[in-house]
């Protein structure tokens, strides 16, 4: 395990399964909290200098901020389709509660502009099927620049069917190249699911690769399970590999120092040619996960 790979149970603090932010991670811009609410439980968050998203991973929730209460219908699991979520502006204190129990992700990023506290319905998430063949994956664009009005945070969900690869070809976003690449810190939060027929003792797993350059080295090959977190401060990242038998979900959270909120990547030139092979292949028919909206 490296400082950039946090196994489930090692990245949290009291009340939070995951608590990654500038103080905990050495990050400058990006954070992620994940917590579980028992029925009737609540959690109060002092937002400080960040803008926040309240994203149900499972279950239903209520979010109260500045005297306004919003209800989230949520979902059964990240593999069951998109979800509604809430945007919380900078310098806010808010409370998340659930009458039935829920698992909640709180992506956040440094911000200074106060936008409206609001609920974004699941129907506004743009579901994109990328790649083809064994490089097929589903991307739920719920907080990408073209979908959500925000100051700095960028977030999406990626679902990869068992036996497929995602985050491939490997790519990076760690230098400013006008209209070609933007500087973004990135967090990967994983959940895995065994396919039907797996024994109860099965522990679903996958892999993620991160590597750097001679000038900016980083070297991660992580075996990931539900609740694991990988931090990408720089370097090429990918592939994310879902072994046969195990579907993979990850939540990506990004932000950076640029004046423009943009997600621009450069693919590793040694592997970018692979995308040309997709033209003769079809998208994995198991996608999309969840009902079509």
């Amino acid at each position: 395990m490296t400082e950039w790979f946090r196994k489930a149970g090692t990245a949290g603090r009291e009340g939070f399964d995951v608590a990654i932010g500038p103080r905990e991670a050495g990050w400058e811009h990006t954070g992620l909290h994940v917590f579980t609410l028992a029925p009737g439980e609540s959690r109060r968050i002092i937002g400080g200098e960040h803008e926040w998203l309240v994203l149900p991973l499972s279950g239903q929730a209520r979010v109260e901020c500045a005297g306004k209460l919003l209800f989230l219908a949520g979902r059964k699991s990240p593999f069951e389709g998109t979800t509604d979520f809430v945007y919380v502006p900078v310098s806010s204190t808010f409370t998340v509660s659930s009458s039935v129990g829920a698992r909640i992700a709180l992506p956040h990023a440094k911000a200074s502009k106060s936008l409206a506290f609001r609920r974004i319905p699941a129907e506004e998430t743009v579901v994109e099927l990328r790649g083809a063949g064994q490089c097929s994956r589903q991307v739920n664009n719920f907080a990408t620049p073209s979908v959500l009005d925000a100051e700095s945070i960028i977030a999406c969900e990626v679902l990869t069917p068992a036996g497929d690869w995602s985050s491939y070809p490997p790519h990076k976003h760690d230098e400013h190249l006008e209209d070609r690449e933007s500087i973004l810190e990135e967090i990967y939060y994983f959940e895995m699911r065994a396919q039907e027929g797996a024994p109860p003792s099965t522990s679903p797993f996958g892999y993620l690769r991160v590597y750097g350059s001679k000038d900016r080295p980083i070297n991660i090959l992580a075996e990931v399970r539900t609740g694991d977190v990988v931090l990408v401060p720089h370097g090429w990242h990918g592939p994310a590999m879902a072994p046969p038998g195990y579907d993979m979900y990850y939540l990506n959270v990004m932000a950076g120092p640029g004046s423009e909120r943009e997600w621009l990547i450069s693919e590793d030139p040694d592997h970018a040619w692979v995308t040309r092979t997709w033209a003769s292949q079809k998208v994995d028919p198991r996608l999309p996960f969840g009902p079509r909206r």
Side-chain angles (χ1 to χ4, degrees):
M1 186 166 64
T2 74
E3 63 179 315
W4 306 118
F5 174 39
R6 311 288 180 87
K7 294 290 292 181
T10 69
R13 55 181 170 84
E14 185 177 359
F16 295 90
D17 304 314
V18 174
I20 299 292
R23 183 177 59 190
E24 294 87 356
W27 270 171
E28 293 184 35
H29 307 280
T30 312
L32 174 66
H33 290 177
V34 178
F35 60 89
T36 302
L37 292 175
E41 192 177 10
S42 64
R43 192 81 77 249
R44 182 172 178 265
I45 309 295
I46 300 174
E49 60 181 350
H50 300 90
E51 57 183 357
W52 298 73
L53 308 178
V54 182
L55 178 77
L57 296 170
S58 64
Q60 300 175 342
R62 297 184 300 271
V63 187
E64 185 174 7
C65 179
K68 186 176 181 180
L69 182 65
L70 299 176
F71 176 76
L72 294 175
R75 55 190 169 180
K76 291 182 179 179
S77 85
F79 296 96
E80 299 298 326
T82 58
T83 180
D84 50 354
F85 68 98
V86 163
Y87 174 90
V88 181
V90 66
S91 302
S92 297
T93 296
F94 60 101
T95 300
V96 185
S97 60
S98 177
S99 60
V100 297
R103 194 167 71 260
I104 303 293
L106 299 177
H108 53 282
K110 280 190 176 180
S112 58
K113 183 171 62 175
S114 184
L115 301 174
F117 172 61
R118 64 196 187 276
R119 171 187 172 271
I120 296 90
E123 291 77 15
E124 290 190 13
T125 294
V126 176
V127 177
E128 177 186 2
L129 301 185
R130 290 185 189 168
Q134 288 184 296
C135 290
S136 299
R137 60 275 206 180
Q138 172 182 336
V139 182
N140 295 338
N141 294 290
F142 70 96
T144 49
S146 63
V147 176
L148 177 71
D149 181 24
E151 182 182 351
S152 58
I153 193 164
I154 299 172
C156 66
E157 301 177 306
V158 181
L159 298 104
T160 310
D164 287 1
W165 287 22
S166 55
S167 285
Y168 193 74
H171 57 279
K172 72 179 183 73
H173 37 70
D174 59 11
E175 58 182 324
H176 176 72
L177 301 173
E178 191 72 30
D179 296 326
R180 290 187 292 142
E181 185 177 339
S182 52
I183 301 174
L184 296 168
E185 301 169 340
E186 184 164 12
I187 299 173
Y188 278 70
Y189 167 81
F190 289 90
E191 297 205 356
M192 303 295 300
R193 178 181 72 170
Q195 294 187 311
E196 187 175 353
S201 60
T202 293
S203 178
F205 70 99
Y207 293 95
L208 177 67
R209 178 79 171 109
V210 182
Y211 58 97
S213 62
K214 183 178 180 180
D215 296 333
R216 302 186 73 189
I218 186 171
N219 185 18
I220 301 170
L221 178 55
E223 181 180 288
V224 295
R225 288 179 164 83
T226 294
D228 289 354
V229 177
V230 176
L231 310 176
V232 184
H234 59 265
W236 308 101
H237 38 292
M241 296 162 275
Y246 305 119
D247 298 322
M248 172 183 282
Y249 163 92
Y250 51 87
L251 170 62
N252 284 145
V253 184
M254 294 168 278
S259 58
E260 296 292 327
R261 178 174 168 252
E262 53 186 0
W263 182 13
L264 302 176
I265 67 168
S266 294
E267 293 181 336
D268 186 333
D270 288 341
H271 305 294
W273 67 271
V274 172
T275 60
R276 297 197 298 271
T277 68
W278 297 345
S280 61
Q281 302 177 58
K282 295 183 178 180
V283 174
D284 192 314
R286 292 173 291 178
L287 295 175
F289 286 103
R292 293 180 182 271
R293 294 188 181 272

